[in-house]
Amino acid sequence: MRTTIILRAFCTVFLFLISAPSSAAIVIVPNAPLSGQSTHIQVVNQYFSAASIISATITRSGNQFLIAQTIRLGCSLPIVPTLTSDFDVGVLSAGTYQVVAQIQYTSAMPGCGGTTETQSASFTVSDPGGKCIRIFHPSLPFNVLRR
């Protein structure tokens, strides 16, 4: 009886440790975006058991992005997968942007999942410099760009 209780306690602690997700990283690509460049926001997370992305969405309100991601944990033996959700947010104007990622963990196994993690980050999109002026000249077969 005592051995069974100790074994159950050990299994519970073991399942908790291998199912615990690591903190998500919010990655901006390129890491120092310029206005006029296409920008991606990624949520990268490494787990200590089998895991898969069930859903991942992004919404924008002004200069804030909200990411909702649902991860199914397998709570099995450690295999250390890295999962990435990639969102192409297109070309952004110069300014500072906030990103909030809410990650919900689910599982079919009792005692595994059932939690939500929130991560946040901010990034700045810079103006690449002076404006370009296109100069048209009828005698030239090309256009001249001048800053």
Side-chain angles (χ1 to χ4, degrees):
M1 174 89 169
R2 180 180 160 101
T3 305
T4 305
I5 292 172
I6 292 173
L7 184 58
R8 283 186 182 172
F10 174 77
C11 287
T12 302
V13 170
F14 179 72
L15 278 175
F16 175 76
L17 289 175
I18 66 169
S19 67
S22 62
S23 295
I26 297 173
V27 179
I28 308 303
V29 179
N31 63 353
L34 301 174
S35 60
Q37 278 185 313
S38 183
T39 303
H40 288 247
I41 299 173
Q42 297 177 337
V43 178
V44 181
N45 209 334
Q46 188 170 30
Y47 296 90
F48 300 110
S49 74
S52 60
I53 298 171
I54 300 304
S55 66
T57 60
I58 189 167
T59 56
R60 179 180 175 185
S61 177
N63 281 15
Q64 184 174 26
F65 293 95
L66 177 62
I67 296 171
Q69 185 183 58
T70 303
I71 304 293
R72 178 176 290 136
L73 298 174
C75 299
S76 58
L77 293 175
I79 59 173
V80 195
T82 298
L83 302 178
T84 301
S85 293
D86 181 76
F87 304 97
D88 183 351
V89 295
V91 176
L92 301 173
S93 302
T96 300
Y97 294 83
Q98 302 294 322
V99 180
V100 177
Q102 294 177 332
I103 304 151
Q104 180 182 8
Y105 301 103
T106 65
S107 178
M109 294 186 68
C112 180
T115 61
T116 301
E117 175 186 1
T118 302
Q119 292 289 322
S120 61
S122 64
F123 66 97
T124 300
V125 175
S126 302
D127 190 348
K131 304 245 180 209
C132 289
I133 302 169
R134 187 175 300 260
I135 302 171
F136 296 96
H137 194 280
S139 66
L140 295 176
F142 54 87
N143 297 323
V144 178
L145 295 178
R146 174 179 237 174
R147 286 198 186 262

